[in-house]
Amino acid sequence: TNNIAKGDLTQKITIQSGNELAMLSNAMEHMRSELQELYQNLEQQVADRTRALQESEARFRGLSEATFEGVVIHDSGCILDVNQATVELFGFQRSELINKNALDLMPPEARDIALRNIRAGYEKPYETEGRKKDGSIFPIEVQAKTIPYQEGTARAAAIRDITDHKRAEEKLRKAKETAEEAQRTAEVANQAKSEFLSRMSHELRTP
């Protein structure tokens, strides 16, 4: 009985028949057997749940490592995990990023919008700026969503470097401005030509 009280449910109770003590012993043995079965079932459920979580996290890590985008898993801004693309994108070691505030990966002026989106659970992509370990600033696109993580939930943020995209946009803008300026110059030249020809025509007709 003392062993059972200490949690050893494998300890069987010796039944003494023929009196009230035998009945009590029999009841306690039945209870011990049921408790042992319940404990074993709970152990199995915990093991199954742990294995499922490990498999889920392994699948998620495999997928996140296969993408070219940075993936940051965080809880209210505290980084829980990152993929290799994030390490390469920001220039930190993985160990340096774990438990780091995700907002530290942005310049101060870009943090307010990110914090608002985290608190609001915003899931649409938005453009902002990132800050590398060396302090350099670069444009990024962020899209985050809430996902199951371990025993609760966390935010998974996909981060894409849009430097090349922004450069292409800037080149297109400049090319458009150049074309518009060339068109205005051509229109002015055509107007001047028309005025010159009109004056020449008038002078030729005048004796």
Side-chain angles (χ1 to χ4, degrees):
T1 303
N2 289 335
N3 289 337
I4 294 175
K6 294 177 181 178
D8 183 8
L9 299 180
T10 62
Q11 182 69 43
K12 291 188 177 182
I13 298 174
T14 301
I15 300 175
Q16 302 177 19
S17 58
N19 52 35
E20 292 183 359
L21 181 59
M23 295 176 60
L24 177 60
S25 297
N26 188 55
M28 291 186 67
E29 170 61 17
H30 180 70
M31 181 176 65
R32 181 205 65 80
S33 178
E34 288 186 340
L35 286 173
Q36 183 178 16
E37 182 179 356
L38 177 62
Y39 180 74
Q40 289 173 342
N41 288 338
L42 287 174
E43 276 191 325
Q44 185 61 48
Q45 290 177 20
V46 170
D48 291 344
R49 177 62 175 167
T50 300
R51 184 171 58 254
L53 285 171
Q54 290 173 341
E55 291 175 353
S56 176
E57 289 180 15
R59 285 194 301 271
F60 181 82
R61 176 169 290 281
L63 290 172
S64 66
E65 294 294 353
T67 183
F68 295 105
E69 297 178 333
V71 177
V72 175
I73 310 298
H74 68 87
D75 181 12
S76 300
C78 179
I79 296 177
L80 305 174
D81 200 2
V82 299
N83 67 345
Q84 183 59 31
T86 302
V87 171
E88 296 171 359
L89 187 60
F90 290 94
F92 290 92
Q93 295 298 319
R94 187 188 297 270
S95 59
E96 293 178 301
L97 290 168
I98 303 303
N99 294 324
K100 188 179 184 67
N101 191 326
L103 296 178
D104 290 342
L105 299 179
M106 297 178 176
E109 61 271 18
R111 293 174 186 173
D112 285 345
I113 183 173
L115 185 58
R116 287 198 303 270
N117 288 341
I118 290 173
R119 289 173 174 172
Y122 189 73
E123 295 192 353
K124 294 181 180 180
Y126 64 95
E127 294 184 4
T128 183
E129 291 180 322
R131 185 175 66 179
K132 297 179 182 289
K133 184 177 181 179
D134 62 10
S136 58
I137 308 299
F138 65 107
I140 58 175
E141 181 184 80
V142 179
Q143 184 170 12
K145 66 181 300 183
T146 301
I147 63 167
Y149 187 79
Q150 295 183 354
E151 293 298 325
T153 60
R155 291 281 286 176
I159 304 172
R160 184 163 64 94
D161 184 348
I162 56 173
T163 300
D164 291 341
H165 177 68
K166 288 298 183 181
R167 286 173 179 167
E169 281 186 346
E170 181 63 15
K171 287 181 179 179
L172 182 61
R173 184 187 65 79
K174 289 182 177 180
K176 184 178 179 181
E177 289 179 353
T178 300
E180 290 175 347
E181 180 63 27
Q183 183 178 358
R184 286 193 294 269
T185 301
E187 289 173 352
V188 170
N190 286 334
Q191 180 65 28
K193 179 181 177 181
S194 297
E195 292 176 357
F196 173 76
L197 292 175
S198 177
R199 287 197 302 271
M200 289 296 296
S201 175
H202 176 72
E203 291 176 359
L204 290 173
R205 289 196 302 271
T206 302

